[in-house]
Amino acid sequence: MIDIQNVSKWYGSFQVLTDCSTKINKSEVVVVCGPSGSGKSTLIKTVNALEPFQKGDIVVDGISLANPKTDLPKLRSRVGMVFQHFELFPHLSVTENLTLAQIKVLGRNPTDAKTRGLKMLERVGLMAHKDKFPGQLSGGQQQRVAIARALSMDPIVMLFDEPTSALDPEMVGEVLDVMVKLAGEGMTMMVVTHEMGFAKKVSHRVIFMDAGKVVEDCTRDEFFSNSDARSPRAKEFLSKIL
Ligand code: ADP
Ligand code: MG
């Protein structure tokens, strides 16, 4: 579903990604972890074509991002993205947040968009809040709305960039529960997170990044084992956060 092929990226003269490669199969959940500044956000944003790259290619569902003929806005509309800060529109109700992009980007009629949006709101357990504004919801609830909004676009994959890092601890669980459910339903997911409980429970593979490189790309069990196969950097990282 996602094929990242030898991607390198520079910000001016600073190389932020060096020869990054990995594949994410359909229905696979891949956790990306690594120290702050290692390039995790940059890598995930290149997959959604929010950040350009200078070398290599990323093929999403058979479509090459490096091909200048690719309709990037169209592709982006099929790749769901959930950020650390929910980025809901504060002046729009929950229902309006859920329908806006469906109407503007996908060209759906407002009735269909509302039906689809509310169905997704139900899926994240927030139907009772459909007429509220984001500011009236807790952080955890806002993040669940952001997930419902992404799902309303019928994404072929979902990308998450530290979706629980900005939340108070007591709200982390409700967001992870929604993500666990999504994974169980077969959604293809690339998740930047330091929630190793989530990684252990639902991920199929773990990618460890350091200084712009994919240092480790292995199965979950390999990653969490103490085997010598794991790089010293990954071991050191795990010992600090576990
Ligand atoms: P992570 O998500 O792993 O913390 P990022 O992908 O955000 O890492 O950043 C990787 C590196 O790229 C960092 O050194 C960061 O300072 C740098 N960086 C990120 N965005 C920009 C930018 N727009 N311009 C220049 N440097 C950037
Ligand atoms: Mg980041």
Side-chain angles (χ1 to χ4, degrees), residues 23 123 171:
K23 276 186 188 158
R123 210 162 150 191
M171 292 170 189

Side-chain angles (χ1 to χ4, degrees), residues 86-97:
F86 334 118
E87 302 186 21
L88 297 172
F89 297 110
H91 59 292
L92 298 181
S93 72
V94 166
T95 303
E96 287 163 340
N97 265 285

